[in-house]
Amino acid sequence: EVLLTQSPGTLSLSPGERAALSCRASQSVISSYLAWYQQKPGQAPRLLIYGASSRATGIPDRFSGSGSGTDFTLTISRLEPEDFAVYYCQHYDSSPKVFTFGPGTKVDIK
Amino acid sequence: EVQLVQSGAEVKKPGESLKISCKGSGYNFPNYWIGWVRQMPGKGPEWMGIIYPGDSDTRYSPSFQGQVTISADKSISTAYLQWSSLKASDTALYYCARRYYDSGSYYIDYWGQGTLVTVSS
């Protein structure tokens, strides 16, 4: 079973700043099985990035994903007020058809 | 427009049974895997299991195997999550979610609005 860790747990930044969120897998994973989601209070998670680096439909280009193997990064180039939220990485294991979520990184306003 | 609409909030006592639902619309429901996700208060999402409504093939996350039952009725485009004996620790928000496959990638593209389950004596 792949375990995901995310760092930092909380990132305190100001609007306009750049955010870099890390997701590390316990073993090498297939990049196409790695996704990122954003969740705001009272809402379901929203898909941002799939296949490690492909933006989902309607996601602004300030969001980008990168990485391979065990280390992946979600970058928000310039934080907008609506970007303050919790971000989760997710891995799909095709054999038991199980998704695993990381513990999340909260991006809050400094 | 793709939609997953879940049943309403439930308040139950420990030991009671419960079945919550998730109705899909706007797409060919039997042909997409539907999963269930638990989110406990203040915590991250946890994957519980998944079902293919076309043939009811079901897979459970090891943590939830034997604790819940996932089923589906493709004739009414509805998936279900069921407990036979609730515990206080089952108190959480439960989401249904559609698994999507695209060019070698698997991810969740649509979520239900969530069903809050509260178990308290």
Side-chain angles (χ1 to χ4, degrees), chain A residues 39-74:
Chain A
Q39 188 175 31
K40 297 180 180 179
Q43 297 182 17
R46 177 175 73 141
L47 177 69
L48 299 175
I49 301 288
Y50 65 92
S53 60
S54 297
R55 264 188 308 276
T57 302
I59 301 303
D61 61 7
R62 64 180 181 273
F63 291 92
S64 63
S66 62
S68 64
T70 60
D71 291 300
F72 298 87
T73 301
L74 174 70

Side-chain angles (χ1 to χ4, degrees), chain B residues 15-85:
Chain B
E16 292 186 330
S17 62
L18 177 64
K19 192 174 189 178
I20 62 175
S21 66
C22 168
K23 183 173 177 59
S25 62
Y27 71 101
N28 192 1
F29 184 81
N31 288 9
Y32 290 81
W33 291 80
I34 286 282
W36 287 94
V37 177
R38 182 176 79 175
Q39 191 162 31
M40 302 181 81
K43 302 296 184 183
E46 300 172 89
W47 186 257
M48 302 177 73
I50 194 169
I51 188 166
Y52 187 73
D55 62 5
S56 291
D57 184 5
T58 308
R59 313 293 174 88
Y60 294 92
S61 176
S63 301
F64 292 92
Q65 180 82 47
Q67 307 304 307
V68 296
T69 301
I70 294 171
S71 60
D73 184 342
K74 64 183 179 182
S75 69
I76 56 171
S77 300
T78 301
Y80 302 97
L81 177 64
Q82 183 175 356
W83 294 260
S84 59
S85 181

